[in-house]
Amino acid sequence: MTTVRAYAAASATSPLEPTTIERREVGPRDVLIDIAYAGICHSDIHTIRGEWGEVAYPLTVGHEIVGTVAEVGSDVTRHAVGDRVGVGCMVNSCRECENCLAGEEQYCLKGNVGTYANVDRDGSITQGGYAQKVVVDEDFVLRVPEAIPYEKAAPLLCAGITTYSPLHHWNAGPGKKVAVVGLGGLGHMAVKIAHAMGAEVTVLSQSLRKKDDGLAMGADHYYATSDPETFETLKNSLDLIVNTVSAPLDLKQYLGLLSLDGTMVNVGAPPEPLPIQVFTLFSNRRSFAGSSIGGIRETQEMLDFCAEHGIAPEVELIDAAQINEAYERVLASDVRYRFVIDAATI
């Protein structure tokens, strides 16, 4: 085992504090990564505060990781020392089930192993990227193209793939009208990616406060959901709605915006159940769906797509000592649009 510096919380109500964690020795198929940057995802906060279920403490979170390969195992063929690489929301899966064999490891029928707060195949609890180093099986390590600015790449490993995957699956592109609910860490990536795919993009946000930002990112239209006229104006007009917010919504209102065979897909994950009136789905043969992250193959596709189209998140770089302050600002929607920790300060 190797001891590395990290930030961790001792309980659901504790602040994150400097500590040390153990990383396994590099095995034949492992890659040791010197972490350069780690993004802060709202999922980190939900998990560390026990809002998505019980977790084992102390816990280090962080599943938006980029860094440089420092060492590789004897059987590693995909990565070499010095490569720019990334690690997203999962670090293992069974690799044998139907979904894994189809390249959809995020839907592993035995459950994929999350980058933190999960039991790994060796029985240890995974610890995330708010740390100096991480050891990951080569199959779950991504190549980060040079065209993506290093300090902006980390959020693509969660916010990027979480929005790319449903846009790709539901065929966002020319002739499609796509709406993004919420212009936050996930939402701003959805706007940029949908625009690059060629879709007509609408942002649905509580207010018009971020309208200029949304239009600059590629949105064609921007509406305030606090204005009742929005739901009349857009009624029966959208092919796809990507809901990025982790809070309850009036689903009847939003589903009413879908045109024939339209789909509303949730990528935000509120802890509360969402009530739905089935009759709303009958009209226009609408669908209500959910989408997780993407598989490793699709995540690499997303990184290459972003490099090709000059897409990168809007980030605010912080020192590790600012993590707890950053959490409070995320909860207050006071970030434009993703915090990224400089791992050199851990």
Side-chain angles (χ1 to χ4, degrees):
M1 304 290 280
T2 301
T3 301
V4 302
R5 293 197 300 272
Y7 269 69
S11 73
T13 57
S14 301
L16 282 83
E17 296 180 333
T19 187
T20 59
I21 60 175
E22 300 295 324
R23 298 298 195 192
R24 68 173 181 264
E25 292 298 324
V26 176
R29 293 179 50 81
D30 284 338
V31 176
L32 172 65
I33 301 168
D34 287 333
I35 298 174
Y37 300 100
I40 292 178
C41 176
H42 205 148
S43 300
D44 300 345
I45 304 174
H46 284 305
T47 302
I48 209 89
R49 296 189 173 181
E51 294 170 354
W52 285 350
E54 294 184 8
V55 296
Y57 298 97
L59 179 64
T60 295
V61 293
H63 57 204
E64 298 179 341
I65 304 166
V66 295
T68 305
V69 175
E71 183 182 345
V72 297
S74 58
D75 295 340
V76 170
T77 59
R78 298 184 181 185
H79 309 285
V81 172
D83 285 357
R84 285 203 336 172
V85 294
V87 178
C89 301
M90 57 183 170
V91 292
N92 217 329
S93 72
C94 80
R95 321 203 197 177
E96 297 174 347
C97 71
E98 180 181 355
N99 291 353
C100 284
L101 294 176
E104 304 282 3
E105 302 93 345
Q106 75 277 29
Y107 301 123
C108 176
L109 295 175
K110 296 182 181 179
N112 72 65
V113 177
T115 305
Y116 56 74
N118 272 197
V119 179
D120 207 344
R121 301 305 178 204
D122 62 2
S124 64
I125 302 297
T126 54
Q127 302 289 335
Y130 297 5
Q132 289 178 302
K133 301 174 186 288
V134 66
V135 177
V136 181
D137 184 288
E138 71 162 333
D139 288 346
F140 291 82
V141 177
L142 288 306
R143 177 183 53 80
V144 177
E146 292 287 340
I148 301 173
Y150 209 17
E151 72 280 3
K152 294 187 175 186
L156 294 175
L157 278 303
C158 177
I161 186 57
T162 298
T163 51
Y164 179 91
S165 188
L167 289 167
H168 178 242
H169 179 77
W170 275 278
N171 300 310
K176 291 293 184 74
K177 294 183 178 181
V178 175
V180 177
V181 183
L183 193 70
L186 289 173
H188 91 289
M189 288 308 308
V191 169
K192 290 188 176 193
I193 292 169
H195 172 73
M197 288 177 168
E200 181 180 333
V201 184
T202 296
V203 174
L204 299 172
S205 186
Q206 286 183 310
S207 73
L208 299 180
R209 183 168 54 95
K210 300 178 183 177
K211 181 177 180 179
D212 289 345
D213 286 359
L215 296 178
M217 292 171 189
D220 299 285
H221 317 285
Y222 201 108
Y223 290 90
T225 56
S226 56
D227 181 356
E229 284 298 312
T230 292
F231 293 94
E232 284 299 317
T233 301
L234 297 178
K235 190 174 181 180
N236 299 319
S237 69
L238 301 171
D239 298 299
L240 177 64
I241 300 172
V242 179
N243 176 26
T244 71
V245 302
S246 294
L249 296 177
D250 183 342
L251 292 181
K252 183 178 180 181
Q253 278 191 311
Y254 286 87
L255 290 166
L257 305 181
L258 294 171
S259 59
L260 183 64
D261 291 326
T263 299
M264 179 173 177
V265 56
N266 259 49
V267 294
E272 310 93 334
L274 294 176
I276 188 167
Q277 294 184 14
V278 176
F279 281 102
T280 308
L281 300 177
F282 292 171
S283 299
N284 274 341
R285 201 163 52 203
R286 298 171 176 131
S287 298
F288 181 63
S291 178
S292 184
I293 54 172
I296 296 301
R297 180 178 59 206
E298 188 177 44
T299 303
Q300 188 63 63
E301 178 184 297
M302 176 274 305
L303 288 169
D304 294 340
F305 179 89
C306 288
E308 178 184 353
H309 292 274
I311 297 172
E314 303 299 319
V315 306
E316 182 175 335
L317 195 61
I318 63 169
D319 290 349
Q322 298 172 280
I323 291 173
N324 293 298
E325 176 190 347
Y327 274 24
E328 296 306 316
R329 288 181 57 192
V330 169
L331 295 173
S333 299
D334 179 27
V335 53
R336 296 196 178 181
Y337 281 86
R338 203 67 155 182
F339 286 116
V340 172
I341 304 162
D342 181 351
T345 65
I346 294 175

